[in-house]
Amino acid sequence: ACMAQLAPARALTPVLPAVKCNPDRAMLALLAAMGTGFDCASPAEIELVRSMGVGPDRIIYAHCCKMPRDLAHAASVGIQLTTFDNEAELHKVAKLHPNVGLVLRIRADDQAARCNLGDKYGAEEDEVEPLLRAAKALGLNVCGISFHVGSGARNPAAFPIAVAKARDAFDLATAMGFSMRVLDLGGGYSGNLTEGITMAKVAASLNAALDLHFPASSEIGRAHV
């Protein structure tokens, strides 16, 4: 996610901007005053937004491989959501922050994206069920699914595919007894005007997928972008 994503807020809402792409204090202060949430990938980012009066309930610690001391810090300041995509992270969470809400990051790439983050993060489809079962065995609270199609995505059709995969993971987790409430739509919304890729096209594609797979009347409480 990046600050540029605020532009289409009326077309695709609500928006959860990230700190790491734009740590400008004036911009962050404005966002904090507007009541937005924040996607933070490090303790420094967490502390930056907390210094502006942002409560921990408005922050997701969106890093799948956290250092133990960083996870302990998140627990100490009351962060209530964090991401994971591997079993080692679950054991770390069980020891250091067992009551945190866990958001499973799945892999859902736009192969044409400028930066393919799926090479680094995101559970493969055949890893989803084992990870959910591991979380269940550890008594942890999985409450959502996230994805990131890649920075500088070029194919609006990648988002509906990702949402469909998220729906499958949602249903599997629900069937296993987890109370699912968060869908994190990741980033990659920069667009490419020279190629005719506008945020309006991305928003239309994504909104249609959300209406199909996560209609307003469903159990989903909030979608993060």
Side-chain angles (χ1 to χ4, degrees), residues 161-212:
I161 294 172
V163 171
K165 289 182 177 181
R167 177 75 262 179
D168 289 341
F170 242 79
D171 291 342
L172 181 57
T174 299
M176 294 173 62
F178 292 110
S179 179
M180 303 295 283
R181 59 183 176 85
V182 175
L183 175 62
D184 185 329
L185 305 176
Y189 301 90
S190 59
N192 189 324
L193 295 179
T194 61
E195 298 179 12
I197 304 170
T198 65
M199 188 58 215
K201 291 182 178 180
V202 173
S205 180
L206 187 45
N207 282 333
L210 292 173
D211 287 343
L212 176 62

Side-chain angles (χ1 to χ4, degrees), residues 56-98:
D57 58 318
R58 290 166 59 187
I59 299 171
I60 179 171
Y61 191 178
H63 197 307
C64 295
C65 302
K66 298 168 283 293
M67 295 181 64
R69 67 185 182 191
D70 294 345
L71 181 57
H73 173 77
S76 71
V77 299
I79 300 299
Q80 299 174 17
L81 285 175
T82 191
T83 58
F84 78 101
D85 67 0
N86 62 88
E87 187 171 345
E89 192 74 3
L90 290 175
H91 289 279
K92 199 185 308 176
V93 168
K95 179 178 180 181
L96 298 170
H97 200 357

Side-chain angles (χ1 to χ4, degrees), residues 88-215:
E89 192 74 3
L90 290 175
H91 289 279
K92 199 185 308 176
V93 168
K95 179 178 180 181
L96 298 170
H97 200 357
N99 296 320
V100 72
L102 289 168
V103 178
L104 172 58
R105 178 163 172 170
I106 61 173
R107 183 171 186 174
D109 298 332
D110 173 2
Q111 296 297 332
R114 184 174 67 252
C115 180
N116 193 329
L117 297 178
D119 292 338
K120 296 170 60 178
Y121 302 114
E124 303 287 354
E125 289 186 44
D126 62 355
E127 296 176 320
V128 171
E129 183 173 355
L131 285 172
L132 291 174
R133 293 195 180 282
K136 177 65 71 172
L138 289 167
L140 299 176
N141 171 34
V142 177
C143 64
I145 302 296
S146 74
F147 60 79
H148 194 305
V149 300
S151 296
R154 292 185 173 92
N155 181 12
F159 292 96
I161 294 172
V163 171
K165 289 182 177 181
R167 177 75 262 179
D168 289 341
F170 242 79
D171 291 342
L172 181 57
T174 299
M176 294 173 62
F178 292 110
S179 179
M180 303 295 283
R181 59 183 176 85
V182 175
L183 175 62
D184 185 329
L185 305 176
Y189 301 90
S190 59
N192 189 324
L193 295 179
T194 61
E195 298 179 12
I197 304 170
T198 65
M199 188 58 215
K201 291 182 178 180
V202 173
S205 180
L206 187 45
N207 282 333
L210 292 173
D211 287 343
L212 176 62
H213 297 290
F214 292 93

